[in-house]
Amino acid sequence: MPEAHIVSSYDDELRFLVRRLSEMGGIAERMVADAVAALVNADTASAQRVISEDLLLDAGEREIYDKAVLVIAKRQPMASDLREIIGSIRIASDLERVGDLGKNIAKRVIAVHTMAQPRKLVRGLEHLAELALTQLKEVLDAFATRSPAMANSIRERDEEIDAIYTSLFRELLTYMMEDPRNITACTHLLFCAKNIERIGDHATNIAETVYYVATGEQLSADRPKDDDTASMVAPEPGSD
């Protein structure tokens, strides 16, 4: 087989990984945005659509993993190409988890749509989601341009989402203590807030992967955090 054809085929395989990641990123962004909009508007039909779309991200992650393993076995890539392929696997995993978190929010919509919800707190959740989605969009742009500076900047802003989440967490607890009738609805909103905060964490994970792919170096393990809800009773997203 001519060498030029081999190189072209290898480049096509790498471009396939990038293209599928871009598609997964678009689906993940849409799922989270639609889930939060469904929460704000008590739209159970939209929530059901979000839940069904999660299968697309599951399939995308499997496809990227299978293709990446095949490329490594066939091509035995080195240096930057190997980082690119390993990075694709990592990012696909984070995007799949973002989809899971969006699905979890959508499930809460179905649970709370008939309950009275404090509008101020729902709007607070909407603002938190806007920040998390901005981070997700920007980190996908950083991956597309392989920009370590942009990736590092996104990572440094993670504490902004943590601070808003902590403030929202305290407000929700206050509502529950003031009136026990708020407990059920506010508990669901607490889970939604934690899921959104975790989306920000996954965007930060992707930023660290982008930095590694672009530079071959790992960022410091000391990630900026401003979430002090661990000292309170916080819901665990894994139990959703």
Side-chain angles (χ1 to χ4, degrees):
M1 182 179 294
E3 183 178 349
H5 181 73
I6 294 173
V7 171
S8 176
S9 178
Y10 181 36
D11 289 343
D12 287 345
E13 288 168 337
L14 294 179
R15 281 194 291 268
F16 171 85
L17 294 174
V18 172
R19 185 176 70 253
R20 287 297 284 126
L21 279 176
S22 177
E23 291 168 356
M24 283 187 70
I27 294 169
E29 285 184 61
R30 184 176 69 244
M31 284 180 65
V32 175
D34 288 352
V36 173
L39 180 66
V40 171
N41 299 313
D43 184 346
T44 57
S46 291
Q48 289 285 8
R49 282 196 298 273
V50 171
I51 292 169
S52 65
E53 282 189 325
D54 186 53
L55 293 174
L56 299 175
L57 288 182
D58 293 344
E61 183 192 21
R62 287 194 300 271
E63 190 176 7
I64 286 173
Y65 179 83
D66 290 345
K67 174 64 78 172
V69 169
L70 183 62
V71 172
I72 291 172
K74 283 170 43 181
R75 311 295 187 185
Q76 298 182 349
M78 304 289 287
S80 62
D81 284 349
L82 182 58
R83 294 200 305 272
E84 187 92 20
I85 295 167
I86 297 301
S88 295
I89 295 172
R90 290 184 184 176
I91 293 171
S93 177
D94 277 304
L95 290 174
E96 190 275 333
R97 283 297 297 136
V98 168
D100 285 345
L101 294 165
K103 179 179 70 174
N104 288 346
I105 295 169
K107 287 180 177 179
R108 297 285 169 180
V109 175
I110 295 168
V112 304
H113 76 281
T114 60
M115 302 177 190
Q117 301 174 48
R119 299 308 298 171
K120 176 186 175 185
L121 297 181
V122 172
R123 293 299 177 186
L125 276 174
E126 192 175 23
H127 177 56
L128 183 64
E130 287 171 357
L131 289 177
L133 281 169
T134 296
Q135 265 195 298
L136 184 60
K137 180 182 183 303
E138 289 181 356
V139 81
L140 292 171
D141 290 342
F143 176 67
T145 59
R146 305 300 187 273
S147 171
M150 187 184 296
N152 193 44
S153 173
I154 292 164
R155 182 180 186 263
E156 292 298 319
R157 297 206 315 268
D158 184 51
E159 59 188 356
E160 183 180 357
I161 291 177
D162 293 335
I164 293 174
Y165 165 67
T166 298
S167 174
L168 194 57
F169 188 97
R170 287 172 172 160
E171 284 191 73
L172 283 161
L173 287 182
T174 299
Y175 268 81
M176 287 191 283
M177 289 187 289
E178 287 176 349
D179 188 343
R181 290 173 298 182
N182 293 328
I183 289 175
T184 300
C186 286
T187 298
H188 285 296
L189 293 180
L190 276 174
F191 274 103
C192 290
K194 186 60 181 176
N195 285 326
I196 294 169
E197 188 267 341
R198 289 289 297 133
I199 289 166
D201 286 342
H202 284 289
T204 302
N205 289 347
I206 295 172
E208 292 172 350
T209 299
V210 170
Y211 189 91
Y212 169 71
V213 168
T215 67
E217 299 175 359
Q218 301 279 3
L219 285 166
S220 165
D222 295 327
R223 178 184 293 187
K225 297 295 288 181
D226 195 14
D227 173 7
D228 61 5
T229 60
S231 60
M232 311 176 202
V233 181
E236 289 295 331
S239 64
D240 216 8

